[in-house]
Amino acid sequence: MKFDRFMCRILAVVCLCGLLLVPESACAQRRRNPLRETDEAFFATAEARRIGDQVLVYQRCTGGWPKNIDMAAPLTEEQLQQVLGDKARRNDSTIDNDATSMQMFYLARLYRAAGDVRYRDAFRSGVEYLLSGQYDNGGWPQFWPEMSGYQVHITFNDDAMVNTLELFSAMIAGEKPFDGDLVDESLRARLKESFDKGIACILRTQIVVDGKPTVWCQQHDRETYAPAGARSYELPSYCSQESAAIVRLLMAQPAPDANIKAAVHGAMMWFDNNKITGYRIDRSSGNATLVADTDAKPIWARFYDLEHCIPFVCDRDGVPQRSLESIGSERRNGYSWYNSRPADLYPLYESWAERFDAQNKLALQLDSPGANERGVFDIE
């Protein structure tokens, strides 16, 4: 659904009326992280509708939402007018940091409970926004319709594209809260076509080395599909954290073809070959530090360089370093440099491979020695 400036003004007035009709006492009932609420009873409350009306106000005329805003916090009249004045912005709608998908889940649940068509229509506008942003090759950028710099890249960072595809998958299947009249058959068919293109893009962007599929970068060039950088400290690399989410999505497909099977096997082999054992992150000193611990569960560096597949961290100067102590406190403590996400995939892979491709199942052991213990790279 496309909006012109006139329609934007109409929606703004409707949303404003909805906000002003809610009693002030409801503001005191606001829950923590309410846009992630799943309790059906909550969506029958006046507080849920108050928050929903604010979500409508924050929706841009693009159909999408901006990120990193507490959209449940009560607005003063001055703040409300500022948000309404920003509705026509075209450069801050995004799928980064759960934006847009999070608001759409909330509105879908609220529509099921309240039956207010404003929530349904805003949700459907969000769907159109997501569909409009997909490249012909199946990928999504970080921001659209107006974007700049690295925002144009196919974006896996912070699970942006995976979140979109998981949302589409739930809508295609008619799962709650996307049952009923929220998604009709015509829209479901469009979503299925988009979803399939997205999976094809994922397979196309997987980094292949010597004919073997590995994992993914946080971003990939929208034309060449090559790994691409983003912020100054997010260099082209093998990226474990976002790749784990991609593999989970691929393993969730009900009828994986040979390409999906090869992608999953290859990524799991990479995870197993590049895990770090005997170390954990310690923050007790106030600074994130990688410390030896024989009882620690396996972890992975977020980034591994593309030439030697060695873990690195990076400050805002864009110079890769081998240790956390080599970068400033701001980036050292303000970014997730190590994670354990791939560990959760091991039991999933075991059952997935047994079900879909037992003859090519890898014998993986999460507690086997990591690359550092095998001498592939030094960790300190």
Side-chain angles (χ1 to χ4, degrees):
M1 183 181 298
K2 296 182 179 179
F3 293 91
D4 56 23
R5 290 183 180 275
F6 176 75
M7 284 301 297
C8 283
R9 288 182 177 274
I10 294 296
L11 284 176
V13 171
V14 171
C15 295
L16 177 59
C17 291
L19 282 174
L20 295 179
L21 289 173
V22 176
E24 289 184 5
S25 59
C27 298
Q29 301 170 10
R30 184 167 57 90
R31 297 185 177 191
R32 184 179 182 182
N33 298 323
L35 294 191
R36 301 185 188 279
E37 183 62 70
T38 60
D39 182 7
E40 292 186 9
F42 169 72
F43 289 94
T45 66
E47 172 68 350
R49 293 191 295 277
R50 179 195 71 80
I51 295 170
D53 289 344
Q54 288 200 170
V55 170
L56 299 186
V57 170
Y58 277 105
Q59 187 176 28
R60 303 310 196 208
C61 289
T62 61
W65 281 265
K67 67 176 182 176
N68 299 342
I69 297 174
D70 181 0
M71 297 185 184
L75 294 168
T76 65
E77 181 62 28
E78 181 180 359
Q79 291 171 331
L80 177 59
Q81 293 306 317
Q82 178 63 53
V83 175
L84 291 172
D86 286 339
K87 285 187 75 68
R89 290 185 63 176
R90 295 171 56 82
N91 64 350
D92 67 349
S93 300
T94 182
I95 55 174
D96 192 30
N97 289 6
D98 294 335
T100 300
S101 61
M102 177 172 59
Q103 287 81 5
M104 289 173 64
F105 267 103
Y106 186 90
L107 290 176
R109 293 186 174 103
L110 188 55
Y111 174 63
R112 290 185 76 248
D116 190 325
V117 296
R118 294 180 304 142
Y119 306 137
R120 179 199 65 193
D121 293 347
F123 171 87
R124 289 178 177 173
S125 296
V127 175
E128 296 300 330
Y129 170 72
L130 294 178
L131 288 170
S132 74
Q134 188 175 32
Y135 292 138
D136 289 341
N137 62 25
W140 272 272
Q142 188 179 56
F143 289 80
W144 73 90
E146 293 181 6
M147 59 191 83
S148 61
Y150 64 81
Q151 294 173 355
V152 305
H153 295 318
I154 295 168
T155 304
F156 298 123
N157 196 7
D158 292 329
D159 305 335
M161 187 165 152
V162 168
N163 285 342
T164 300
L165 289 173
E166 288 181 338
L167 175 62
F168 281 12
S169 179
M171 285 192 281
I172 293 166
E175 298 174 3
K176 288 185 178 181
F178 308 117
D179 49 353
D181 67 340
L182 196 59
V183 181
D184 60 26
E185 289 304 315
S186 174
L187 179 55
R188 190 169 286 112
R190 293 171 61 203
L191 292 169
K192 181 63 167 63
E193 180 181 0
S194 174
F195 182 87
D196 291 344
K197 287 173 61 177
I199 294 297
C201 179
I202 285 175
L203 298 177
R204 193 177 296 119
T205 51
Q206 189 171 21
I207 302 170
V208 177
V209 179
D210 296 330
K212 298 179 180 180
T214 61
V215 288
W216 291 261
C217 185
Q218 286 182 326
Q219 296 80 212
H220 287 258
D221 188 278
R222 61 178 174 174
E223 296 179 357
T224 67
Y225 309 116
R231 290 171 290 190
S232 59
Y233 50 89
E234 294 172 326
L235 307 179
S237 62
Y238 301 101
C239 183
S240 66
Q241 181 164 302
E242 280 75 7
S243 293
I246 293 173
V247 173
R248 182 184 291 269
L249 173 66
L250 293 178
M251 286 198 292
Q253 301 316 298
D257 61 16
N259 293 324
I260 291 179
K261 293 175 184 177
V264 171
H265 290 312
M268 290 303 301
M269 177 62 76
W270 187 93
F271 288 136
D272 204 51
N273 286 341
N274 292 282
K275 65 191 174 190
I276 298 168
T277 51
Y279 284 85
R280 61 176 173 81
I281 291 292
D282 182 84
R283 298 180 183 274
S284 60
S285 67
N287 279 316
T289 304
L290 199 61
V291 298
D293 183 346
T294 56
D295 294 326
K297 297 182 182 299
I299 57 174
W300 285 258
R302 188 165 190 169
F303 301 137
Y304 295 72
D305 78 86
L306 292 174
E307 184 176 0
H308 303 293
C309 203
I310 294 175
F312 72 88
V313 297
C314 196
D315 216 327
R316 292 186 183 273
D317 59 7
V319 178
Q321 302 288 347
R322 291 299 310 280
S323 69
L324 287 167
E325 290 78 8
S326 299
I327 62 176
S329 176
E330 187 267 336
R331 280 300 80 194
R332 179 176 176 178
N333 300 299
Y335 198 71
S336 176
W337 295 109
Y338 294 87
N339 72 99
S340 59
R341 264 192 179 187
D344 295 335
L345 299 177
Y346 278 69
L348 296 178
Y349 173 79
E350 184 74 17
S351 57
W352 176 88
E354 191 64 37
R355 178 183 179 187
F356 292 112
D357 199 14
Q359 63 181 0
N360 293 308
K361 177 182 173 183
L362 301 172
L364 304 180
Q365 291 185 319
L366 183 59
D367 58 357
S368 64
N372 55 307
E373 290 192 74
R374 302 196 316 271
V376 176
F377 52 70
D378 294 325
I379 201 62
E380 292 185 290

